[in-house]
């Protein structure tokens, strides 16, 4: 029995809200769930972080997760830190580029850059600093003899730094050592406590007892070097594939899909304690081999070359590329298949069969046999709404009726029917009930063939769910805008006798739906007012614990799927729930923490369930309790003290309680270190607050105007399963202000009484005289005030216009250009909208100025600017004088093609001047933020400027679009 959510409603919601999320190009994933399990192209859920998320250069070189939940990334602009869902670019002074990372056993972070390396330290106030270590090797700092520090290796004895020409070593006791091979170093490797390096030219060396010993004279370029499960030395080369090194002899090793791996250009690798190896390639693909070099997975995860990989403590794989940072969720519970895998339309349902997976969408039936892109195999243009497993076969229901999928082909069972979903009888497995848009169809199996037995069509039927009574052959149907129907069947279940509306005990407002589901041995009816159980005579309120609370207020969308005694799931369009030991909790989909948009759940025998949602198809397999990660406490990131009239002061994050002066304000930032799961942080100020305030995984509290006393800011985190972490506390006290002291208040009270008596007597006499003066003055000043206000407003308007206007040409000046450019660029970045920029220069203007004089030159500059201003008609555009004879046009929301049309219009306007002596042509350079990956307004302006010079070099009086290989020109140079 499969109970479904309202399909008509779900289809409308999916069409409106489906958002492609996730995995890019997906490739084969198989053999994960045992014999008979489906084969499909799903891969781990991928979180992607580009320049728009972390705010730094897209190019990264290395990644290093820590056991405390921090992730460090060596980036072309410095060192990135990810913690609590937030990216931070650390300010490390001279370390403007990071290339390599290493973490020592005592938690020290070492960073290598260009000719620099050092130790990154975080003080007690949460501030990061860099301790330069390269100066111990090159104290004179002359030139850059180290070049790039591409690899760092941490061992118990110390840290090795792999440079171009030397291998440097800083011991734990502070002593140093260095080795310079005969040729430059191509790559270094760490195997346990041993260091290996390959020289340019092919020599492979091992560092033994302080000496570099040659182990092989001619080794191809190495991707990785590791020890197998049996302790043998293994290599992966760029050209030759896998090999083993035995007594100075290199022997090839057979590996699955090795030719394909080499074609993908392997570049980096990651090894496990069990001898497995993950290989990252320059084509953006990850290959995962087991200890016997059998291919476990092949995932195409990025369109950028993969440069480095690392595993975190929550079973995630971090990948850095030349254009983005990725985290793959490798938890075995989840695999995901997104729209990028090749299916079209809206996903309605997924079904796992032995050796393949079927996907039903709004445009047909797709099959997945383990390799993308998916294939549309049947019902092209027809909507497939439900799939039902029948051994190795399946029943397919949709707008074209009901078909049987058998051995790769479809056979019609029910024709001329618009079927919404299917329900197999538990009491008679040879019966299937098909819900049509206005009725019910009964299908039976006779001698291994399915056929239509009965069809009842009634315009009054608007079923949105169907459930079978667990005791007798009787059906219950939820309705759109109506109460449930009870459907009576004949004794054999092959015919429908009657259908009656049942409303006894229900509280359903007019115009709302009802839904009926089977929950264990009960029939439950759901409306927006809650869930009720059928007693045999009427519906009564039912206690279902957390199920009712977590579903509210969408009880009228509930459907429940039981996949055996160990797995029961429930869902609406807004929540996905799972039952553990009679307790219901939210089950977060990766990348979709609340499980929103679930439209179907299908069980896989002994292998979990396939969950179809707005973001694609997810395969969920319950994890053993032993695999649940231990809870980590919330950590303080920063505590900032703000005193009146003083700069902000960072405070220690740990230590004894801090005493704050009166009137001080505190800002506390905190984060939960979890890298996966639907965690939120919570805080409360004890004893002022009893309830917890909720924040994101990275939270902040501002505490102001606190009265004198002792306080404790308590922090914790809670996930979607309602697990709560241990509480972190930050204690402090606030001193009373001097005026709250008792003796100060007593003296002040006496002085106040005396002054009050004296003031009252003086005030009584003064008020009488002042009232007379005020009545005369008010009338005179009111009229004068209105007149001066009007004059002032007029003057302010004139001044504002003159401040933003170029005095010669009448268009916007440089001041306004800088302001509008920044505003427009930020708006484009926030909404990820198009934004184009035109750099315009008057052709041969200097020659004209020299020949006709500056007065005529100014007139031509003025007339050309006005002509461009009149021709520019793009919405919210701005023409501004950049300097000399150069102008800039801002085109918000203009894609590259539209911007080119606007530029051509400006060219045509200048060419079309009637008087040939007054004709002034222009050259135009064009750049667009998204198309050219401009990271800042200045970068976009420079790109347009280079395109302008390309136009001038090509003969002037033309438009050129920025090219990434264009030779840079100095901005603002003369024409």
């Amino acid at each position: 029995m499969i109970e479904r959510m309202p399909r008509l409603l779900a289809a409308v919601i999916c069409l409106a809200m489906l958002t492609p999320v996730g995995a890019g190009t997906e490739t084969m994933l198989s053999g994960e769930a045992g014999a008979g399990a489906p084969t499909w192209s799903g891969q781990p859920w991928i979180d992607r972080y580009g320049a728009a998320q972390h705010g730094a250069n897209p190019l990264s070189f290395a990644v290093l997760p820590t056991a405390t939940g921090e992730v460090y990334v060596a980036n072309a602009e410095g060192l990135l830190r990810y913690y609590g869902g937030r990216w931070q670019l650390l300010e490390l002074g001279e370390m403007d580029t990071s290339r390599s990372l290493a973490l020592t056993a005592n938690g020290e972070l070492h960073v290598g850059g260009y000719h620099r390396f050092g130790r990154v330290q975080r003080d007690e106030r949460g501030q990061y600093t860099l301790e330069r270590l390269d100066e111990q090797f090159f104290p004179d700092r002359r030139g850059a003899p180290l070049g790039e520090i591409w690899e760092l290796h941490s061992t118990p004895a110390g840290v090795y730094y792999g440079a171009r020409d030397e291998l440097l070593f800083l011991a734990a006791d502070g002593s140093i050592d260095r080795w310079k091979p005969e040729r430059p170093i191509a790559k270094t490797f760490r195997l346990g406590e041993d260091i290996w390096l390959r020289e340019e030219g092919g020599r492979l060396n091992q560092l033994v007892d302080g000496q570099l010993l040659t182990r092989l004279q001619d080794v191809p370029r190495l991707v990785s070097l590791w020890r197998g499960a049996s302790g043998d030395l293994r290599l992966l080369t760029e050209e030759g594939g896998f090999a083993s090194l035995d007594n100075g002899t290199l022997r090839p090793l057979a590996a699955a899909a090795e030719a394909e791996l080499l074609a993908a250009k392997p570049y980096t690798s990651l090894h496990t304690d069990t001898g497995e190896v993950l290989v990252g390639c320059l084509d953006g693909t990850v290959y995962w081999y087991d200890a016997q070099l059998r291919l476990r997975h092949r995932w195409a995860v990025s369109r950028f070359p993969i440069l480095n990989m690392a595993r975190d403590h929550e079973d995630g794989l971090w990948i850095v590329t030349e254009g983005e940072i990725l985290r793959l969720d490798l938890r075995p519970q989840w695999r995901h298949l997104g729209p990028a895998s090749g299916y079209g339309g809206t996903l309605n349902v997924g079904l796992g069969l032995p050796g393949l997976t079927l996907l039903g969408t709004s445009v047909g039936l797709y099959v997945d046999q383990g390799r993308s892109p998916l294939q549309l195999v049947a019902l092209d243009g027809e909507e497939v709404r439900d799939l039902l497993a029948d051994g190795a076969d399946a029943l397919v229901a949709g707008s074209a009726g009901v078909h049987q999928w058998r051995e790769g082909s479809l056979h019609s069972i029910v024709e001329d029917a618009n079927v919404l979903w299917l329900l197999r009888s538990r009491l008679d497995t040879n019966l299937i009930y098909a819900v049509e848009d206005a009725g019910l169809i009964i299908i039976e199996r006779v001698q291994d063939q399915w056929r239509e037995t009965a069809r009842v069509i009634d315009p009054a039927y608007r079923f949105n769910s169907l459930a079978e009574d667990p005791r007798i052959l009787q059906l219950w149907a939820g309705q759109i805008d109506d109460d449930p129907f009870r459907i009576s069947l004949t004794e054999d279940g092959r015919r429908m006798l009657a259908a009656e509306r049942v409303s006894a005990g229900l509280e359903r407002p007019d115009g709302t739906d009802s839904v009926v589901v089977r929950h264990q041995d009960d029939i439950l009816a759901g409306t927006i007012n809650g869930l009720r159980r059928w007693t045999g005579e009427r519906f009564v309120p039912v206690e279902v614990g957390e199920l009712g609370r977590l579903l509210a207020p969408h009880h009228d969308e509930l459907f429940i799927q039981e996949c055996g005694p160990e797995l029961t799931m429930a869902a609406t369009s807004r929540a996905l729930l799972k039952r553990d030991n009679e307790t219901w909790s939210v089950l977060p989909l990766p990348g979709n923490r609340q499980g929103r948009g679930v439209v179907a759940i299908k069980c896989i025998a002994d292998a979990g369930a396939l969950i179809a949602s707005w973001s694609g198809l997810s395969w969920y397999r319950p994890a053993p309790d032993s695999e649940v990660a231990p809870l980590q406490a919330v950590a303080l990131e920063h505590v900032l003290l703000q005193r009146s009239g003083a700069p902000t002061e960072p405070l220690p994050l740990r230590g004894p309680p801090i005493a704050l002066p009166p009137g001080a304000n505190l800002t506390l930032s905190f984060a939960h270190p979890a890298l996966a799961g639907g965690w939120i942080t919570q805080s409360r100020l004890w004893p002022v607050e009893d309830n917890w305030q909720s924040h994101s995984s990275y939270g902040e509290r501002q505490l102001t105007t606190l009265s004198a006393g002792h306080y404790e800011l308590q922090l914790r985190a809670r996930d979607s399963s309602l697990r709560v972490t241990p509480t972190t506390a930050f204690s402090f006290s606030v001193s009373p202000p001097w005026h709250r002291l008792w003796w100060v208040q007593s003296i002040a009270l006496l002085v106040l009484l005396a002054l009050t008596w004296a003031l009252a007597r003086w005030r009584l006499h003064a008020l009488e005289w002042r009232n007379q003066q005020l009545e005369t003055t008010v009338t005179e000043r009111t009229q004068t005030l209105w007149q001066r206000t009007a004059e002032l407003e007029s003057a302010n308007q004139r001044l504002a216009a003159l401040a933003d206007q170029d005095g010669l040409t009448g268009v916007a000046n440089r001041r306004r250009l800088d302001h509008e450019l920044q505003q427009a660029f930020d708006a484009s970045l926030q909404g990820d909208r198009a934004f184009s920029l035109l750099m315009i220069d008057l052709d041969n203007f200097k020659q004209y100025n020299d020949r006709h004089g500056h007065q005529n030159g100014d007139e031509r500059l003025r007339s050309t600017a006005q002509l461009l201003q009149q021709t520019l008609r793009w919405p919210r555009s701005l023409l501004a004088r950049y300097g000399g004879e150069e102008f800039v046009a801002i085109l918000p929301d203009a894609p590259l093609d539209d911007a080119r049309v606007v530029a051509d219009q400006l060219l045509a306007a200048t060419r079309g001047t009637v008087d040939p002596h007054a004709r002034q042509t222009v050259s135009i350079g064009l750049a667009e933020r998204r198309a050219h990956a401009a990271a800042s307004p200045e970068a976009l302006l420079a790109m347009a400027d280079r395109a302008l010079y390309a136009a001038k070099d090509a003969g002037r009086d033309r438009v050129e679009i920025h090219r990434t290989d264009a030779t840079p020109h100095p901005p603002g140079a003369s024409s």
Side-chain angles (χ1 to χ4, degrees), residues 706-719:
L706 294 175
S707 57
H710 298 276
Y711 299 93
E712 184 178 82
L713 183 67
Q714 299 175 349
L715 306 170
R716 71 180 190 184
R718 179 173 62 85
D719 72 352

PDB file of all heavy atoms in Angstrom, residues 706-719:
ATOM      1  N   LEU A 706      22.650  46.991  29.588  1.00  0.00           N
ATOM      2  CA  LEU A 706      22.449  46.013  30.649  1.00  0.00           C
ATOM      3  C   LEU A 706      22.562  46.690  32.012  1.00  0.00           C
ATOM      4  O   LEU A 706      23.455  47.511  32.242  1.00  0.00           O
ATOM      5  CB  LEU A 706      23.488  44.896  30.540  1.00  0.00           C
ATOM      6  CG  LEU A 706      23.401  44.005  29.289  1.00  0.00           C
ATOM      7  CD1 LEU A 706      24.566  43.024  29.272  1.00  0.00           C
ATOM      8  CD2 LEU A 706      22.088  43.264  29.252  1.00  0.00           C
ATOM      9  N   SER A 707      21.670  46.338  32.882  1.00  0.00           N
ATOM     10  CA  SER A 707      21.739  46.862  34.247  1.00  0.00           C
ATOM     11  C   SER A 707      22.835  46.133  35.013  1.00  0.00           C
ATOM     12  O   SER A 707      23.345  45.093  34.583  1.00  0.00           O
ATOM     13  CB  SER A 707      20.394  46.697  34.950  1.00  0.00           C
ATOM     14  OG  SER A 707      20.005  45.347  34.959  1.00  0.00           O
ATOM     15  N   ALA A 708      23.202  46.676  36.164  1.00  0.00           N
ATOM     16  CA  ALA A 708      24.266  46.075  36.961  1.00  0.00           C
ATOM     17  C   ALA A 708      23.856  44.679  37.413  1.00  0.00           C
ATOM     18  O   ALA A 708      22.691  44.418  37.740  1.00  0.00           O
ATOM     19  CB  ALA A 708      24.576  46.957  38.160  1.00  0.00           C
ATOM     20  N   GLY A 709      24.823  43.752  37.413  1.00  0.00           N
ATOM     21  CA  GLY A 709      24.549  42.391  37.850  1.00  0.00           C
ATOM     22  C   GLY A 709      25.471  41.397  37.182  1.00  0.00           C
ATOM     23  O   GLY A 709      26.379  41.758  36.427  1.00  0.00           O
ATOM     24  N   HIS A 710      25.235  40.113  37.470  1.00  0.00           N
ATOM     25  CA  HIS A 710      26.026  39.023  36.911  1.00  0.00           C
ATOM     26  C   HIS A 710      25.203  38.321  35.838  1.00  0.00           C
ATOM     27  O   HIS A 710      24.021  38.028  36.029  1.00  0.00           O
ATOM     28  CB  HIS A 710      26.430  38.029  38.007  1.00  0.00           C
ATOM     29  CG  HIS A 710      27.298  38.638  39.069  1.00  0.00           C
ATOM     30  ND1 HIS A 710      28.665  38.762  38.935  1.00  0.00           N
ATOM     31  CD2 HIS A 710      26.990  39.164  40.284  1.00  0.00           C
ATOM     32  CE1 HIS A 710      29.166  39.332  40.018  1.00  0.00           C
ATOM     33  NE2 HIS A 710      28.168  39.589  40.859  1.00  0.00           N
ATOM     34  N   TYR A 711      25.847  38.024  34.696  1.00  0.00           N
ATOM     35  CA  TYR A 711      25.151  37.433  33.557  1.00  0.00           C
ATOM     36  C   TYR A 711      25.946  36.253  33.015  1.00  0.00           C
ATOM     37  O   TYR A 711      27.157  36.115  33.251  1.00  0.00           O
ATOM     38  CB  TYR A 711      24.975  38.459  32.439  1.00  0.00           C
ATOM     39  CG  TYR A 711      24.151  39.666  32.833  1.00  0.00           C
ATOM     40  CD1 TYR A 711      24.759  40.816  33.329  1.00  0.00           C
ATOM     41  CD2 TYR A 711      22.769  39.646  32.699  1.00  0.00           C
ATOM     42  CE1 TYR A 711      24.008  41.918  33.691  1.00  0.00           C
ATOM     43  CE2 TYR A 711      22.003  40.755  33.053  1.00  0.00           C
ATOM     44  CZ  TYR A 711      22.633  41.887  33.549  1.00  0.00           C
ATOM     45  OH  TYR A 711      21.879  42.969  33.901  1.00  0.00           O
ATOM     46  N   GLU A 712      25.225  35.433  32.247  1.00  0.00           N
ATOM     47  CA  GLU A 712      25.837  34.303  31.560  1.00  0.00           C
ATOM     48  C   GLU A 712      25.116  34.121  30.225  1.00  0.00           C
ATOM     49  O   GLU A 712      23.914  33.857  30.206  1.00  0.00           O
ATOM     50  CB  GLU A 712      25.726  33.032  32.404  1.00  0.00           C
ATOM     51  CG  GLU A 712      26.438  31.826  31.790  1.00  0.00           C
ATOM     52  CD  GLU A 712      26.344  30.604  32.679  1.00  0.00           C
ATOM     53  OE1 GLU A 712      25.293  29.921  32.613  1.00  0.00           O
ATOM     54  OE2 GLU A 712      27.304  30.344  33.442  1.00  0.00           O
ATOM     55  N   LEU A 713      25.858  34.299  29.132  1.00  0.00           N
ATOM     56  CA  LEU A 713      25.284  34.026  27.818  1.00  0.00           C
ATOM     57  C   LEU A 713      25.477  32.543  27.530  1.00  0.00           C
ATOM     58  O   LEU A 713      26.597  32.068  27.387  1.00  0.00           O
ATOM     59  CB  LEU A 713      25.937  34.858  26.722  1.00  0.00           C
ATOM     60  CG  LEU A 713      25.316  34.662  25.331  1.00  0.00           C
ATOM     61  CD1 LEU A 713      23.895  35.208  25.287  1.00  0.00           C
ATOM     62  CD2 LEU A 713      26.165  35.308  24.248  1.00  0.00           C
ATOM     63  N   GLN A 714      24.366  31.813  27.451  1.00  0.00           N
ATOM     64  CA  GLN A 714      24.399  30.377  27.234  1.00  0.00           C
ATOM     65  C   GLN A 714      24.155  30.081  25.756  1.00  0.00           C
ATOM     66  O   GLN A 714      23.255  30.652  25.143  1.00  0.00           O
ATOM     67  CB  GLN A 714      23.349  29.684  28.102  1.00  0.00           C
ATOM     68  CG  GLN A 714      23.574  29.908  29.595  1.00  0.00           C
ATOM     69  CD  GLN A 714      22.468  29.311  30.438  1.00  0.00           C
ATOM     70  OE1 GLN A 714      21.425  28.893  29.931  1.00  0.00           O
ATOM     71  NE2 GLN A 714      22.681  29.268  31.738  1.00  0.00           N
ATOM     72  N   LEU A 715      24.950  29.192  25.206  1.00  0.00           N
ATOM     73  CA  LEU A 715      24.889  28.858  23.782  1.00  0.00           C
ATOM     74  C   LEU A 715      24.749  27.351  23.610  1.00  0.00           C
ATOM     75  O   LEU A 715      25.363  26.587  24.349  1.00  0.00           O
ATOM     76  CB  LEU A 715      26.161  29.323  23.052  1.00  0.00           C
ATOM     77  CG  LEU A 715      26.544  30.791  23.216  1.00  0.00           C
ATOM     78  CD1 LEU A 715      27.926  31.039  22.652  1.00  0.00           C
ATOM     79  CD2 LEU A 715      25.517  31.676  22.527  1.00  0.00           C
ATOM     80  N   ARG A 716      23.950  26.958  22.642  1.00  0.00           N
ATOM     81  CA  ARG A 716      23.812  25.555  22.295  1.00  0.00           C
ATOM     82  C   ARG A 716      23.385  25.450  20.845  1.00  0.00           C
ATOM     83  O   ARG A 716      23.093  26.464  20.197  1.00  0.00           O
ATOM     84  CB  ARG A 716      22.796  24.853  23.190  1.00  0.00           C
ATOM     85  CG  ARG A 716      21.345  25.259  22.928  1.00  0.00           C
ATOM     86  CD  ARG A 716      20.386  24.543  23.844  1.00  0.00           C
ATOM     87  NE  ARG A 716      18.996  24.764  23.439  1.00  0.00           N
ATOM     88  CZ  ARG A 716      17.927  24.317  24.102  1.00  0.00           C
ATOM     89  NH1 ARG A 716      18.100  23.636  25.232  1.00  0.00           N
ATOM     90  NH2 ARG A 716      16.704  24.542  23.659  1.00  0.00           N
ATOM     91  N   ALA A 717      23.347  24.237  20.310  1.00  0.00           N
ATOM     92  CA  ALA A 717      22.892  24.011  18.941  1.00  0.00           C
ATOM     93  C   ALA A 717      21.872  22.885  18.949  1.00  0.00           C
ATOM     94  O   ALA A 717      21.918  21.984  19.800  1.00  0.00           O
ATOM     95  CB  ALA A 717      24.059  23.672  18.013  1.00  0.00           C
ATOM     96  N   ARG A 718      20.938  22.953  17.986  1.00  0.00           N
ATOM     97  CA  ARG A 718      19.892  21.931  17.861  1.00  0.00           C
ATOM     98  C   ARG A 718      19.756  21.568  16.394  1.00  0.00           C
ATOM     99  O   ARG A 718      19.777  22.447  15.523  1.00  0.00           O
ATOM    100  CB  ARG A 718      18.566  22.465  18.412  1.00  0.00           C
ATOM    101  CG  ARG A 718      17.419  21.468  18.299  1.00  0.00           C
ATOM    102  CD  ARG A 718      16.195  21.997  19.020  1.00  0.00           C
ATOM    103  NE  ARG A 718      15.723  23.231  18.441  1.00  0.00           N
ATOM    104  CZ  ARG A 718      14.900  23.301  17.380  1.00  0.00           C
ATOM    105  NH1 ARG A 718      14.512  22.209  16.764  1.00  0.00           N
ATOM    106  NH2 ARG A 718      14.505  24.460  16.916  1.00  0.00           N
ATOM    107  N   ASP A 719      19.625  20.272  16.113  1.00  0.00           N
ATOM    108  CA  ASP A 719      19.473  19.857  14.728  1.00  0.00           C
ATOM    109  C   ASP A 719      18.025  19.517  14.430  1.00  0.00           C
ATOM    110  O   ASP A 719      17.147  19.624  15.296  1.00  0.00           O
ATOM    111  CB  ASP A 719      20.406  18.689  14.385  1.00  0.00           C
ATOM    112  CG  ASP A 719      19.971  17.373  15.026  1.00  0.00           C
ATOM    113  OD1 ASP A 719      19.037  17.384  15.862  1.00  0.00           O
ATOM    114  OD2 ASP A 719      20.562  16.330  14.706  1.00  0.00           O
TER     115      ASP A 719
END
